[in-house]
Amino acid sequence: MTTNKIERRIKIKYRVRKNVFGTAERPRLSVFRSNKQIYAQVINDVEGKTIAAAASIALEAMPKKEQAAKVGEMIAEKAIAAGVSQVVFDRNGYLYHGRVKELADGARKGGLKF
């Protein structure tokens, strides 16, 4: 039984998502990582609404890890402005290291509690 990298990540994503659920008091901080960019959203799964979002599209003049840390700080700032201080972290099937870890650390530095 052979699976490629994308199918493997999707399986891991579903395994993580069955335990991670965002509520109004503690929404889900979801991360998407492409080869060039990194995106983050704070989502209330009960209502199906995105509370805050941030992306690294405007930050292309710096290394990717620094971009991820900046996106973490931006999402924390936007979430706190929207009245959210605690979140559940959804790594979306990615390993918790590198850019995903930098984004999480940036969000913590910005004031979000995981």
Side-chain angles (χ1 to χ4, degrees):
M1 185 157 104
T2 61
T3 58
N4 65 18
K5 192 189 298 189
I6 295 170
E7 290 171 347
R8 185 181 144 275
R9 189 183 74 78
I10 289 172
K11 283 183 182 179
I12 295 168
K13 176 182 178 175
Y14 287 134
R15 200 177 319 136
V16 170
R17 282 285 287 126
K18 73 180 176 187
N19 296 318
V20 177
F21 190 78
T23 62
E25 300 82 36
R26 227 179 136 149
R28 176 171 55 99
L29 173 59
S30 180
V31 175
F32 177 74
R33 186 192 75 188
S34 71
N35 286 337
K36 293 185 178 181
Q37 307 296 334
I38 192 158
Y39 307 87
Q41 289 183 322
V42 176
I43 304 164
N44 179 352
D45 288 321
V46 175
E47 296 178 10
K49 300 218 177 199
T50 299
I51 299 168
S56 64
I57 293 174
L59 308 172
E60 293 194 28
M62 58 180 71
K64 290 181 188 177
K65 279 191 171 183
E66 289 180 23
Q67 284 181 1
K70 279 280 197 198
V71 170
E73 291 174 15
M74 288 181 348
I75 195 72
E77 180 182 313
K78 290 180 180 183
I80 289 172
V84 175
S85 61
Q86 286 191 330
V87 294
V88 178
F89 190 68
D90 176 13
R91 59 189 173 87
N92 215 359
Y94 301 111
L95 294 177
Y96 185 79
H97 82 104
R99 291 193 284 159
V100 175
K101 185 175 187 298
E102 289 293 326
L103 189 139
D105 290 342
R108 283 190 191 101
K109 183 179 171 189
L112 284 182
K113 292 184 178 122
F114 288 37

